[in-house]
mmCIF file of all heavy atoms in Angstrom:
data_model
loop_
_atom_site.group_PDB
_atom_site.id
_atom_site.type_symbol
_atom_site.label_atom_id
_atom_site.label_comp_id
_atom_site.label_asym_id
_atom_site.label_seq_id
_atom_site.Cartn_x
_atom_site.Cartn_y
_atom_site.Cartn_z
ATOM 1 N N ALA A 78 -11.007 -1.936 11.100
ATOM 2 C CA ALA A 78 -10.554 -3.350 11.004
ATOM 3 C C ALA A 78 -9.610 -3.474 9.806
ATOM 4 O O ALA A 78 -8.515 -4.099 9.922
ATOM 5 C CB ALA A 78 -11.685 -4.331 10.909
ATOM 6 N N LEU A 79 -9.943 -2.863 8.727
ATOM 7 C CA LEU A 79 -9.107 -2.938 7.492
ATOM 8 C C LEU A 79 -7.722 -2.275 7.825
ATOM 9 O O LEU A 79 -6.686 -2.859 7.528
ATOM 10 C CB LEU A 79 -9.822 -2.196 6.372
ATOM 11 C CG LEU A 79 -9.049 -2.155 5.111
ATOM 12 C CD1 LEU A 79 -8.953 -3.535 4.401
ATOM 13 C CD2 LEU A 79 -9.730 -1.156 4.095
ATOM 14 N N LEU A 80 -7.757 -1.099 8.445
ATOM 15 C CA LEU A 80 -6.494 -0.401 8.758
ATOM 16 C C LEU A 80 -5.666 -1.172 9.822
ATOM 17 O O LEU A 80 -4.497 -1.064 9.849
ATOM 18 C CB LEU A 80 -6.873 1.010 9.246
ATOM 19 C CG LEU A 80 -7.227 2.005 8.186
ATOM 20 C CD1 LEU A 80 -7.713 3.271 8.764
ATOM 21 C CD2 LEU A 80 -6.026 2.275 7.233
ATOM 22 N N ALA A 81 -6.328 -1.983 10.591
ATOM 23 C CA ALA A 81 -5.656 -2.749 11.661
ATOM 24 C C ALA A 81 -5.137 -4.101 11.094
ATOM 25 O O ALA A 81 -4.574 -4.866 11.834
ATOM 26 C CB ALA A 81 -6.567 -3.017 12.869
ATOM 27 N N GLY A 82 -5.464 -4.305 9.814
ATOM 28 C CA GLY A 82 -4.977 -5.596 9.187
ATOM 29 C C GLY A 82 -5.818 -6.819 9.564
ATOM 30 O O GLY A 82 -5.380 -7.926 9.438
ATOM 31 N N GLU A 83 -7.035 -6.589 9.973
ATOM 32 C CA GLU A 83 -7.964 -7.636 10.415
ATOM 33 C C GLU A 83 -8.881 -8.030 9.214
ATOM 34 O O GLU A 83 -9.099 -7.194 8.298
ATOM 35 C CB GLU A 83 -8.820 -7.255 11.524
ATOM 36 C CG GLU A 83 -8.026 -6.904 12.841
ATOM 37 C CD GLU A 83 -7.399 -8.175 13.446
ATOM 38 O OE1 GLU A 83 -7.892 -9.294 13.201
ATOM 39 O OE2 GLU A 83 -6.470 -7.988 14.275
ATOM 40 N N PRO A 84 -9.403 -9.221 9.155
ATOM 41 C CA PRO A 84 -10.304 -9.646 8.120
ATOM 42 C C PRO A 84 -11.560 -8.839 8.076
ATOM 43 O O PRO A 84 -12.139 -8.549 9.131
ATOM 44 C CB PRO A 84 -10.597 -11.138 8.436
ATOM 45 C CG PRO A 84 -9.712 -11.524 9.538
ATOM 46 C CD PRO A 84 -9.183 -10.332 10.141
ATOM 47 N N THR A 85 -11.993 -8.421 6.882
ATOM 48 C CA THR A 85 -13.189 -7.668 6.719
ATOM 49 C C THR A 85 -14.139 -8.166 5.644
ATOM 50 O O THR A 85 -15.025 -7.541 5.173
ATOM 51 C CB THR A 85 -12.877 -6.147 6.386
ATOM 52 O OG1 THR A 85 -12.130 -6.192 5.125
ATOM 53 C CG2 THR A 85 -12.059 -5.482 7.450
ATOM 54 N N ASP A 86 -13.829 -9.458 5.207
ATOM 55 C CA ASP A 86 -14.618 -10.055 4.180
ATOM 56 C C ASP A 86 -16.094 -10.334 4.564
ATOM 57 O O ASP A 86 -16.907 -10.499 3.702
ATOM 58 C CB ASP A 86 -13.926 -11.367 3.653
ATOM 59 C CG ASP A 86 -13.658 -12.392 4.740
ATOM 60 O OD1 ASP A 86 -13.167 -11.931 5.817
ATOM 61 O OD2 ASP A 86 -13.949 -13.542 4.554
ATOM 62 N N SER A 87 -16.299 -10.422 5.862
ATOM 63 C CA SER A 87 -17.733 -10.580 6.291
ATOM 64 C C SER A 87 -17.894 -9.601 7.515
ATOM 65 O O SER A 87 -17.038 -9.397 8.358
ATOM 66 C CB SER A 87 -18.051 -11.983 6.718
ATOM 67 O OG SER A 87 -18.250 -12.180 8.008
ATOM 68 N N PHE A 88 -19.050 -8.967 7.560
ATOM 69 C CA PHE A 88 -19.280 -8.094 8.618
ATOM 70 C C PHE A 88 -19.366 -8.736 10.026
ATOM 71 O O PHE A 88 -19.113 -8.200 11.017
ATOM 72 C CB PHE A 88 -20.505 -7.148 8.408
ATOM 73 C CG PHE A 88 -20.567 -6.027 9.328
ATOM 74 C CD1 PHE A 88 -19.629 -4.960 9.317
ATOM 75 C CD2 PHE A 88 -21.522 -5.859 10.286
ATOM 76 C CE1 PHE A 88 -19.592 -3.897 10.207
ATOM 77 C CE2 PHE A 88 -21.651 -4.797 11.172
ATOM 78 C CZ PHE A 88 -20.657 -3.859 11.111
ATOM 79 N N LEU A 89 -19.730 -10.027 9.981
ATOM 80 C CA LEU A 89 -19.830 -10.769 11.201
ATOM 81 C C LEU A 89 -18.413 -10.878 11.797
ATOM 82 O O LEU A 89 -18.254 -10.897 13.010
ATOM 83 C CB LEU A 89 -20.446 -12.154 11.016
ATOM 84 C CG LEU A 89 -21.979 -12.184 10.907
ATOM 85 C CD1 LEU A 89 -22.485 -13.540 10.615
ATOM 86 C CD2 LEU A 89 -22.584 -11.674 12.222
ATOM 87 N N LYS A 90 -17.398 -11.021 10.987
ATOM 88 C CA LYS A 90 -16.027 -11.024 11.461
ATOM 89 C C LYS A 90 -15.650 -9.717 12.083
ATOM 90 O O LYS A 90 -14.946 -9.678 13.086
ATOM 91 C CB LYS A 90 -15.069 -11.447 10.335
ATOM 92 C CG LYS A 90 -15.135 -12.902 9.886
ATOM 93 C CD LYS A 90 -14.148 -13.209 8.806
ATOM 94 C CE LYS A 90 -14.274 -14.629 8.297
ATOM 95 N NZ LYS A 90 -13.359 -14.938 7.191
ATOM 96 N N VAL A 91 -16.086 -8.668 11.439
ATOM 97 C CA VAL A 91 -15.827 -7.325 11.975
ATOM 98 C C VAL A 91 -16.506 -7.174 13.293
ATOM 99 O O VAL A 91 -15.863 -6.738 14.287
ATOM 100 C CB VAL A 91 -16.282 -6.232 10.987
ATOM 101 C CG1 VAL A 91 -16.128 -4.860 11.548
ATOM 102 C CG2 VAL A 91 -15.458 -6.346 9.638
ATOM 103 N N LEU A 92 -17.776 -7.563 13.424
ATOM 104 C CA LEU A 92 -18.452 -7.466 14.681
ATOM 105 C C LEU A 92 -17.778 -8.351 15.748
ATOM 106 O O LEU A 92 -17.637 -7.887 16.896
ATOM 107 C CB LEU A 92 -19.913 -7.926 14.526
ATOM 108 C CG LEU A 92 -20.867 -6.922 13.806
ATOM 109 C CD1 LEU A 92 -22.216 -7.589 13.522
ATOM 110 C CD2 LEU A 92 -20.971 -5.670 14.536
ATOM 111 N N SER A 93 -17.369 -9.534 15.387
ATOM 112 C CA SER A 93 -16.641 -10.374 16.346
ATOM 113 C C SER A 93 -15.380 -9.769 16.881
ATOM 114 O O SER A 93 -15.057 -9.820 18.033
ATOM 115 C CB SER A 93 -16.341 -11.744 15.686
ATOM 116 O OG SER A 93 -15.618 -12.590 16.550
ATOM 117 N N LEU A 94 -14.640 -9.134 15.923
ATOM 118 C CA LEU A 94 -13.390 -8.474 16.315
ATOM 119 C C LEU A 94 -13.725 -7.367 17.386
ATOM 120 O O LEU A 94 -13.050 -7.230 18.430
ATOM 121 C CB LEU A 94 -12.756 -7.766 15.139
ATOM 122 C CG LEU A 94 -11.651 -6.764 15.417
ATOM 123 C CD1 LEU A 94 -10.437 -7.465 16.060
ATOM 124 C CD2 LEU A 94 -11.257 -5.997 14.207
ATOM 125 N N PHE A 95 -14.691 -6.531 17.050
ATOM 126 C CA PHE A 95 -15.032 -5.427 17.973
ATOM 127 C C PHE A 95 -15.725 -5.857 19.246
ATOM 128 O O PHE A 95 -15.713 -5.139 20.266
ATOM 129 C CB PHE A 95 -15.700 -4.316 17.222
ATOM 130 C CG PHE A 95 -14.773 -3.554 16.335
ATOM 131 C CD1 PHE A 95 -14.768 -3.713 14.959
ATOM 132 C CD2 PHE A 95 -13.762 -2.757 16.927
ATOM 133 C CE1 PHE A 95 -13.785 -3.047 14.184
ATOM 134 C CE2 PHE A 95 -12.818 -2.066 16.155
ATOM 135 C CZ PHE A 95 -12.877 -2.217 14.741
ATOM 136 N N GLU A 96 -16.338 -7.014 19.208
ATOM 137 C CA GLU A 96 -16.866 -7.571 20.451
ATOM 138 C C GLU A 96 -15.730 -8.015 21.367
ATOM 139 O O GLU A 96 -15.707 -7.690 22.572
ATOM 140 C CB GLU A 96 -17.789 -8.796 20.165
ATOM 141 C CG GLU A 96 -18.409 -9.373 21.392
ATOM 142 C CD GLU A 96 -19.427 -10.466 21.125
ATOM 143 O OE1 GLU A 96 -19.493 -10.919 19.951
ATOM 144 O OE2 GLU A 96 -20.030 -10.951 22.088
ATOM 145 N N LYS A 97 -14.757 -8.612 20.793
ATOM 146 C CA LYS A 97 -13.555 -9.039 21.520
ATOM 147 C C LYS A 97 -12.717 -7.848 22.043
ATOM 148 O O LYS A 97 -12.186 -7.886 23.148
ATOM 149 C CB LYS A 97 -12.639 -9.945 20.713
ATOM 150 C CG LYS A 97 -13.167 -11.297 20.378
ATOM 151 C CD LYS A 97 -12.285 -12.062 19.409
ATOM 152 C CE LYS A 97 -12.968 -13.342 18.964
ATOM 153 N NZ LYS A 97 -12.254 -13.975 17.897
ATOM 154 N N GLN A 98 -12.716 -6.778 21.243
ATOM 155 C CA GLN A 98 -12.030 -5.580 21.655
ATOM 156 C C GLN A 98 -12.832 -4.700 22.632
ATOM 157 O O GLN A 98 -12.299 -3.675 23.180
ATOM 158 C CB GLN A 98 -11.727 -4.718 20.443
ATOM 159 C CG GLN A 98 -10.764 -5.362 19.478
ATOM 160 C CD GLN A 98 -9.342 -5.425 20.048
ATOM 161 O OE1 GLN A 98 -8.847 -4.483 20.610
ATOM 162 N NE2 GLN A 98 -8.696 -6.601 19.920
ATOM 163 N N GLY A 99 -14.075 -5.101 22.945
ATOM 164 C CA GLY A 99 -14.894 -4.368 23.915
ATOM 165 C C GLY A 99 -15.563 -3.139 23.383
ATOM 166 O O GLY A 99 -16.118 -2.280 24.112
ATOM 167 N N VAL A 100 -15.576 -2.934 22.000
ATOM 168 C CA VAL A 100 -16.192 -1.797 21.376
ATOM 169 C C VAL A 100 -17.706 -2.041 21.354
ATOM 170 O O VAL A 100 -18.420 -1.091 21.636
ATOM 171 C CB VAL A 100 -15.599 -1.582 19.964
ATOM 172 C CG1 VAL A 100 -16.447 -0.501 19.276
ATOM 173 C CG2 VAL A 100 -14.156 -1.200 20.024
ATOM 174 N N ILE A 101 -18.134 -3.181 21.064
ATOM 175 C CA ILE A 101 -19.609 -3.529 21.196
ATOM 176 C C ILE A 101 -19.738 -4.589 22.332
ATOM 177 O O ILE A 101 -18.787 -5.343 22.613
ATOM 178 C CB ILE A 101 -20.220 -4.035 19.867
ATOM 179 C CG1 ILE A 101 -19.610 -5.356 19.372
ATOM 180 C CG2 ILE A 101 -20.186 -3.023 18.795
ATOM 181 C CD1 ILE A 101 -20.309 -6.015 18.275
ATOM 182 N N GLY A 102 -20.887 -4.469 22.958
ATOM 183 C CA GLY A 102 -21.080 -5.420 24.053
ATOM 184 C C GLY A 102 -21.304 -6.839 23.571
ATOM 185 O O GLY A 102 -20.668 -7.754 24.086
ATOM 186 N N ALA A 103 -22.119 -7.015 22.570
ATOM 187 C CA ALA A 103 -22.421 -8.343 22.053
ATOM 188 C C ALA A 103 -22.885 -8.163 20.627
ATOM 189 O O ALA A 103 -23.628 -7.257 20.319
ATOM 190 C CB ALA A 103 -23.428 -9.084 22.843
ATOM 191 N N THR A 104 -22.512 -9.099 19.797
ATOM 192 C CA THR A 104 -22.995 -9.127 18.335
ATOM 193 C C THR A 104 -24.477 -9.084 18.335
ATOM 194 O O THR A 104 -25.093 -8.454 17.496
ATOM 195 C CB THR A 104 -22.390 -10.302 17.569
ATOM 196 O OG1 THR A 104 -20.953 -10.211 17.588
ATOM 197 C CG2 THR A 104 -22.876 -10.379 16.215
ATOM 198 N N SER A 105 -25.139 -9.836 19.275
ATOM 199 C CA SER A 105 -26.596 -9.907 19.283
ATOM 200 C C SER A 105 -27.202 -8.566 19.529
ATOM 201 O O SER A 105 -28.284 -8.223 18.970
ATOM 202 C CB SER A 105 -27.092 -10.900 20.275
ATOM 203 O OG SER A 105 -26.636 -10.577 21.557
ATOM 204 N N ASP A 106 -26.580 -7.672 20.331
ATOM 205 C CA ASP A 106 -27.065 -6.310 20.550
ATOM 206 C C ASP A 106 -27.066 -5.528 19.324
ATOM 207 O O ASP A 106 -28.001 -4.835 18.996
ATOM 208 C CB ASP A 106 -26.284 -5.615 21.667
ATOM 209 C CG ASP A 106 -26.406 -6.193 23.024
ATOM 210 O OD1 ASP A 106 -27.399 -6.885 23.314
ATOM 211 O OD2 ASP A 106 -25.561 -5.948 23.852
ATOM 212 N N TRP A 107 -25.946 -5.694 18.543
ATOM 213 C CA TRP A 107 -25.782 -4.913 17.239
ATOM 214 C C TRP A 107 -26.933 -5.392 16.313
ATOM 215 O O TRP A 107 -27.551 -4.549 15.666
ATOM 216 C CB TRP A 107 -24.425 -5.218 16.667
ATOM 217 C CG TRP A 107 -24.256 -4.443 15.420
ATOM 218 C CD1 TRP A 107 -24.512 -4.900 14.140
ATOM 219 C CD2 TRP A 107 -23.872 -3.081 15.297
ATOM 220 N NE1 TRP A 107 -24.267 -3.923 13.193
ATOM 221 C CE2 TRP A 107 -23.864 -2.762 13.853
ATOM 222 C CE3 TRP A 107 -23.452 -2.083 16.121
ATOM 223 C CZ2 TRP A 107 -23.487 -1.521 13.383
ATOM 224 C CZ3 TRP A 107 -23.076 -0.820 15.685
ATOM 225 C CH2 TRP A 107 -23.141 -0.553 14.294
ATOM 226 N N GLN A 108 -27.139 -6.725 16.266
ATOM 227 C CA GLN A 108 -28.170 -7.242 15.354
ATOM 228 C C GLN A 108 -29.568 -6.873 15.779
ATOM 229 O O GLN A 108 -30.378 -6.626 14.930
ATOM 230 C CB GLN A 108 -27.980 -8.762 15.242
ATOM 231 C CG GLN A 108 -26.721 -9.156 14.579
ATOM 232 C CD GLN A 108 -26.407 -10.570 14.706
ATOM 233 O OE1 GLN A 108 -26.643 -11.243 15.709
ATOM 234 N NE2 GLN A 108 -25.778 -11.138 13.646
ATOM 235 N N ARG A 109 -29.788 -6.698 17.076
ATOM 236 C CA ARG A 109 -31.100 -6.172 17.536
ATOM 237 C C ARG A 109 -31.304 -4.717 17.080
ATOM 238 O O ARG A 109 -32.427 -4.386 16.630
ATOM 239 C CB ARG A 109 -31.067 -6.192 19.108
ATOM 240 C CG ARG A 109 -32.250 -6.882 19.729
ATOM 241 C CD ARG A 109 -32.058 -6.955 21.211
ATOM 242 N NE ARG A 109 -33.207 -6.279 21.747
ATOM 243 C CZ ARG A 109 -33.190 -5.676 22.915
ATOM 244 N NH1 ARG A 109 -32.126 -5.599 23.600
ATOM 245 N NH2 ARG A 109 -34.247 -5.130 23.333
ATOM 246 N N CYS A 110 -30.270 -3.963 17.185
ATOM 247 C CA CYS A 110 -30.342 -2.534 16.678
ATOM 248 C C CYS A 110 -30.680 -2.518 15.200
ATOM 249 O O CYS A 110 -31.468 -1.709 14.734
ATOM 250 C CB CYS A 110 -29.079 -1.869 16.947
ATOM 251 S SG CYS A 110 -28.797 -1.316 18.639
ATOM 252 N N ARG A 111 -30.009 -3.454 14.458
ATOM 253 C CA ARG A 111 -30.272 -3.476 13.020
ATOM 254 C C ARG A 111 -31.628 -3.921 12.655
ATOM 255 O O ARG A 111 -32.315 -3.356 11.816
ATOM 256 C CB ARG A 111 -29.254 -4.408 12.352
ATOM 257 C CG ARG A 111 -29.370 -4.531 10.855
ATOM 258 C CD ARG A 111 -29.083 -3.324 10.045
ATOM 259 N NE ARG A 111 -27.716 -2.985 10.049
ATOM 260 C CZ ARG A 111 -27.213 -1.874 9.558
ATOM 261 N NH1 ARG A 111 -28.063 -0.990 9.089
ATOM 262 N NH2 ARG A 111 -25.955 -1.594 9.521
ATOM 263 N N ALA A 112 -32.117 -4.830 13.438
ATOM 264 C CA ALA A 112 -33.513 -5.299 13.157
ATOM 265 C C ALA A 112 -34.571 -4.229 13.475
ATOM 266 O O ALA A 112 -35.414 -3.991 12.655
ATOM 267 C CB ALA A 112 -33.742 -6.543 13.998
ATOM 268 N N ILE A 113 -34.417 -3.611 14.597
ATOM 269 C CA ILE A 113 -35.402 -2.485 14.942
ATOM 270 C C ILE A 113 -35.317 -1.371 13.958
ATOM 271 O O ILE A 113 -36.318 -0.778 13.548
ATOM 272 C CB ILE A 113 -35.274 -2.044 16.434
ATOM 273 C CG1 ILE A 113 -36.507 -1.203 16.803
ATOM 274 C CG2 ILE A 113 -34.009 -1.233 16.660
ATOM 275 C CD1 ILE A 113 -37.799 -1.925 16.915
ATOM 276 N N ARG A 114 -34.089 -1.066 13.529
ATOM 277 C CA ARG A 114 -33.918 0.028 12.534
ATOM 278 C C ARG A 114 -34.569 -0.375 11.195
ATOM 279 O O ARG A 114 -35.204 0.472 10.630
ATOM 280 C CB ARG A 114 -32.410 0.263 12.432
ATOM 281 C CG ARG A 114 -31.962 1.123 11.412
ATOM 282 C CD ARG A 114 -31.419 0.197 10.193
ATOM 283 N NE ARG A 114 -31.314 1.030 9.021
ATOM 284 C CZ ARG A 114 -30.160 1.582 8.714
ATOM 285 N NH1 ARG A 114 -29.136 1.390 9.353
ATOM 286 N NH2 ARG A 114 -30.159 2.286 7.587
ATOM 287 N N ASN A 115 -34.385 -1.613 10.794
ATOM 288 C CA ASN A 115 -34.971 -2.015 9.520
ATOM 289 C C ASN A 115 -36.476 -2.115 9.614
ATOM 290 O O ASN A 115 -37.169 -1.744 8.607
ATOM 291 C CB ASN A 115 -34.403 -3.419 9.125
ATOM 292 C CG ASN A 115 -33.006 -3.344 8.659
ATOM 293 O OD1 ASN A 115 -32.511 -2.283 8.274
ATOM 294 N ND2 ASN A 115 -32.294 -4.459 8.557
ATOM 295 N N ILE A 116 -37.030 -2.501 10.692
ATOM 296 C CA ILE A 116 -38.504 -2.496 10.943
ATOM 297 C C ILE A 116 -39.049 -1.081 10.749
ATOM 298 O O ILE A 116 -40.037 -0.888 10.073
ATOM 299 C CB ILE A 116 -38.876 -3.135 12.265
ATOM 300 C CG1 ILE A 116 -38.647 -4.635 12.244
ATOM 301 C CG2 ILE A 116 -40.316 -2.820 12.609
ATOM 302 C CD1 ILE A 116 -38.688 -5.280 13.631
ATOM 303 N N ALA A 117 -38.344 -0.141 11.319
ATOM 304 C CA ALA A 117 -38.769 1.237 11.276
ATOM 305 C C ALA A 117 -38.847 1.786 9.799
ATOM 306 O O ALA A 117 -39.661 2.557 9.446
ATOM 307 C CB ALA A 117 -37.853 2.100 12.076
ATOM 308 N N ALA A 118 -37.907 1.284 9.008
ATOM 309 C CA ALA A 118 -37.826 1.755 7.564
ATOM 310 C C ALA A 118 -38.977 1.196 6.780
ATOM 311 O O ALA A 118 -39.282 1.707 5.713
ATOM 312 C CB ALA A 118 -36.470 1.356 7.000
ATOM 313 N N HIS A 119 -39.524 -0.022 7.216
ATOM 314 C CA HIS A 119 -40.421 -0.691 6.306
ATOM 315 C C HIS A 119 -41.818 -0.946 6.980
ATOM 316 O O HIS A 119 -42.781 -1.309 6.276
ATOM 317 C CB HIS A 119 -39.931 -2.034 5.871
ATOM 318 C CG HIS A 119 -38.624 -1.891 5.150
ATOM 319 N ND1 HIS A 119 -38.481 -1.379 3.963
ATOM 320 C CD2 HIS A 119 -37.338 -2.143 5.544
ATOM 321 C CE1 HIS A 119 -37.204 -1.315 3.530
ATOM 322 N NE2 HIS A 119 -36.480 -1.794 4.543
ATOM 323 N N ASP A 120 -41.974 -0.628 8.241
ATOM 324 C CA ASP A 120 -43.258 -0.853 8.903
ATOM 325 C C ASP A 120 -43.911 0.440 9.205
ATOM 326 O O ASP A 120 -43.381 1.331 9.751
ATOM 327 C CB ASP A 120 -43.007 -1.604 10.248
ATOM 328 C CG ASP A 120 -44.293 -2.051 10.943
ATOM 329 O OD1 ASP A 120 -45.296 -2.105 10.293
ATOM 330 O OD2 ASP A 120 -44.211 -2.235 12.123
ATOM 331 N N PHE A 121 -45.117 0.578 8.717
ATOM 332 C CA PHE A 121 -45.864 1.830 8.882
ATOM 333 C C PHE A 121 -47.075 1.573 9.798
ATOM 334 O O PHE A 121 -48.178 1.538 9.398
ATOM 335 C CB PHE A 121 -46.342 2.354 7.536
ATOM 336 C CG PHE A 121 -45.181 2.433 6.583
ATOM 337 C CD1 PHE A 121 -44.951 1.561 5.599
ATOM 338 C CD2 PHE A 121 -44.310 3.613 6.721
ATOM 339 C CE1 PHE A 121 -43.841 1.702 4.743
ATOM 340 C CE2 PHE A 121 -43.235 3.719 5.867
ATOM 341 C CZ PHE A 121 -43.022 2.820 4.846
ATOM 342 N N ALA A 122 -46.762 1.379 11.134
ATOM 343 C CA ALA A 122 -47.787 1.071 12.091
ATOM 344 C C ALA A 122 -48.722 2.279 12.266
ATOM 345 O O ALA A 122 -48.295 3.410 12.158
ATOM 346 C CB ALA A 122 -47.083 0.716 13.411
ATOM 347 N N THR A 123 -49.983 1.972 12.470
ATOM 348 C CA THR A 123 -50.934 3.025 12.719
ATOM 349 C C THR A 123 -51.478 2.890 14.102
ATOM 350 O O THR A 123 -52.329 3.724 14.576
ATOM 351 C CB THR A 123 -52.127 2.934 11.666
ATOM 352 O OG1 THR A 123 -52.640 1.607 11.753
ATOM 353 C CG2 THR A 123 -51.597 3.228 10.330
#
Side-chain angles (χ1 to χ4, degrees):
L79 179 70
L80 285 169
E83 297 290 340
T85 60
D86 54 315
S87 114
F88 194 65
L89 282 176
K90 287 181 184 177
V91 173
L92 288 174
S93 178
L94 166 69
F95 284 107
E96 182 177 7
K97 289 175 189 168
Q98 295 290 316
V100 172
I101 62 171
T104 299
S105 59
D106 291 340
W107 182 268
Q108 292 168 325
R109 232 175 122 211
C110 286
R111 180 63 74 188
I113 192 68
R114 170 263 165 93
N115 287 343
I116 289 169
H119 303 289
D120 186 20
F121 304 102
T123 56

